[in-house]
């Protein structure tokens, strides 16, 4: 009987432990509600070395094999669009089958060789725009729409109360001519290449291809609008009044003729007189290109943003002073550039890391802007609450926000996250949770529900709150 006493005896109740430790169901992996694809991944040395690397191979078969295994996406339709514009431009050009075939073969070779593909594929929209622009002169007049003579002057008077271009061009002076000639006659043609080179050398890797595509597609759209909605520029109103215009009329260098006369050379008279689109006033590509270049450059070089703004105002004044565009043309072009820049920045533009001086200093690259969550805008409790993970104070060193866009931006600025500097992103030092974290997350003190109509029931730093699902 004594042998069965331990079995028959009632079990002693286990003593409850004080909740000073981590709850058993609470894991570190659950403390970060940021999706895995949004978290900062550790980079290997090999990937860091290849961020700014360039292709050096001439093997065409590499590109062919990559095309065979490529998973095509909806964005790849852009290449079909470029091919369509190229074929259309070659079709309307005068008959020269050998030259056209040679152009297609040369373009195919440049796009298939890896060493040239990395430059010509992103810039393909620009080459397509140039071909499309110069070939548009060969569109037969019977297929062209009516030329609008009175629309732009009327819009100018309605929107601004006067014709700004005629006012600015009423009085000319050789000094003003030179000041207007530099941005309009030189900067407009040279700055796209200069900005591309600066972005390639000193901005984040991948920024130049995004700029090239935005620039090319914007110009292609502008030329299409000019073909569908042809309008006469201010020089036509000064020379012919409001008389109807017809295709076959020559263009005019307008104020640039004074530059040719001043230097004694024919730089602009012949080229503007025989321009492919003499009635392509709206939208102004001089205005659009300047705005797009300024937006991209100020994004990567914010210290010079006031100079970029000054340049946009400078070329806009020069455009109206030389009697080539109305103010409404410049506004239309500027809006197109702003839309192209915004789409590029949100989805594809690499984020700048301002402490990096050249592309070869980048260890990793992040693309696009992080969209704000609903609760970040309105404090709504129905959203995921990820906006609470972004610190609103000057420092951004909360361990639990690691992987959110705020911590990624702080890494880009060189701030310290979890005791680790941005120069060594693979080494993270653990930090001890503070009292506020224990109070809210572990529930050691009765602070009430952390959600209170989208607001916290207690006044504490928002970055110290972690939302558990």
């Amino acid at each position: 009987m004594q042998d069965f006493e331990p079995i028959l005896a009632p079990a002693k109740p286990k003593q409850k432990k004080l909740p000073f430790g981590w709850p058993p169901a609470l894991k570190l992996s659950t403390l970060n509600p940021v999706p895995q694809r949004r978290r900062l991944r550790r980079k290997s040395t090999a990937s860091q070395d290849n961020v700014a690397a360039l292709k050096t191979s001439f093997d065409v078969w590499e590109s062919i094999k990559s095309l065979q295994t490529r998973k095509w996406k909806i964005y790849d339709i852009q290449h079909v669009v470029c091919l369509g514009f190229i074929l259309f431009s070659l079709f309307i050009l005068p008959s020269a089958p050998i030259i056209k075939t040679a152009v297609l073969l040369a373009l195919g070779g440049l796009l298939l060789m890896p060493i040239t593909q990395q430059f010509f594929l992103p810039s393909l929209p620009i080459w397509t725009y140039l071909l499309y622009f110069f070939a548009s002169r060969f569109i037969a007049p019977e297929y062209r729409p009516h030329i609008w003579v009175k629309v732009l002057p009327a819009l100018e008077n309605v929107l601004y109360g006067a014709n700004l271009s005629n006012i600015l061009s009423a009085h000319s002076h050789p000094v003003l001519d030179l000041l207007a000639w530099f941005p309009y006659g030189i900067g407009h043609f040279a700055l796209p290449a200069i900005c591309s080179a600066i972005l390639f050398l000193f901005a984040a890797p991948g920024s130049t291809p995004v700029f090239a595509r935005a620039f090319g597609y914007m110009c292609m759209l502008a030329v299409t609008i000019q073909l569908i909605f042809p309008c006469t520029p201010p020089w036509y109103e000064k020379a012919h009044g409001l008389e109807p215009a017809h295709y076959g009329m020559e263009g005019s260098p307008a104020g640039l003729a004074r530059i040719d006369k001043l230097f004694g050379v024919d730089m602009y008279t012949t080229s503007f007189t025989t321009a492919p689109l003499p009635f392509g006033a709206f939208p102004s590509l001089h205005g659009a290109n300047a705005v797009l270049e300024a937006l991209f450059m100020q994004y990567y070089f914010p210290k010079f943003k006031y100079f970029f703004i000054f340049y946009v105002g400078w070329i806009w004044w020069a455009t109206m002073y030389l009697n080539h565009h109305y103010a409404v043309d410049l506004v239309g072009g500027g809006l197109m550039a702003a839309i192209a820049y915004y789409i590029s920045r949100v989805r594809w533009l690499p984020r700048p890391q301002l402490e990096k001086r050249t592309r070869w200093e980048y260890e990793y690259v992040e693309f696009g802007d992080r969209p704000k969550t609903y609760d970040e805008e309105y404090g709504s409790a129905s959203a995921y609450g990820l906006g609470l993970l972004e610190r609103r104070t000057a420092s951004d060193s909360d361990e639990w926000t690691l992987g959110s866009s705020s911590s990624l931006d702080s890494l880009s600025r060189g701030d310290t996250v979890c005791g680790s500097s941005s120069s060594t992103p693979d080494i993270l030092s653990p930090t001890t949770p503070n009292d506020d974290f224990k109070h809210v997350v572990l529930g050691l003190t009765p602070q009430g529900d952390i959600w209170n109509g989208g607001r916290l029931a207690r006044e504490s730093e928002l970055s110290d709150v972690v939302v558990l699902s």
Side-chain angles (χ1 to χ4, degrees), residues 309-322:
I309 295 174
F310 166 76
Y311 175 77
V312 172
W314 187 11
I315 194 172
W316 280 30
W317 164 80
T319 303
M320 292 184 287
Y321 171 78
L322 295 174

Side-chain angles (χ1 to χ4, degrees), residues 190-213:
L191 275 182
I194 295 175
C195 290
S196 298
I198 293 176
L199 292 175
F200 177 79
L201 294 174
F202 304 108
S207 57
T208 304
V210 178
F211 170 74
R213 287 191 173 97

Side-chain angles (χ1 to χ4, degrees), residues 418-430:
C418 304
S420 170
S421 68
S422 62
S423 60
T424 58
D426 296 342
I427 304 175
L428 301 178
S429 301

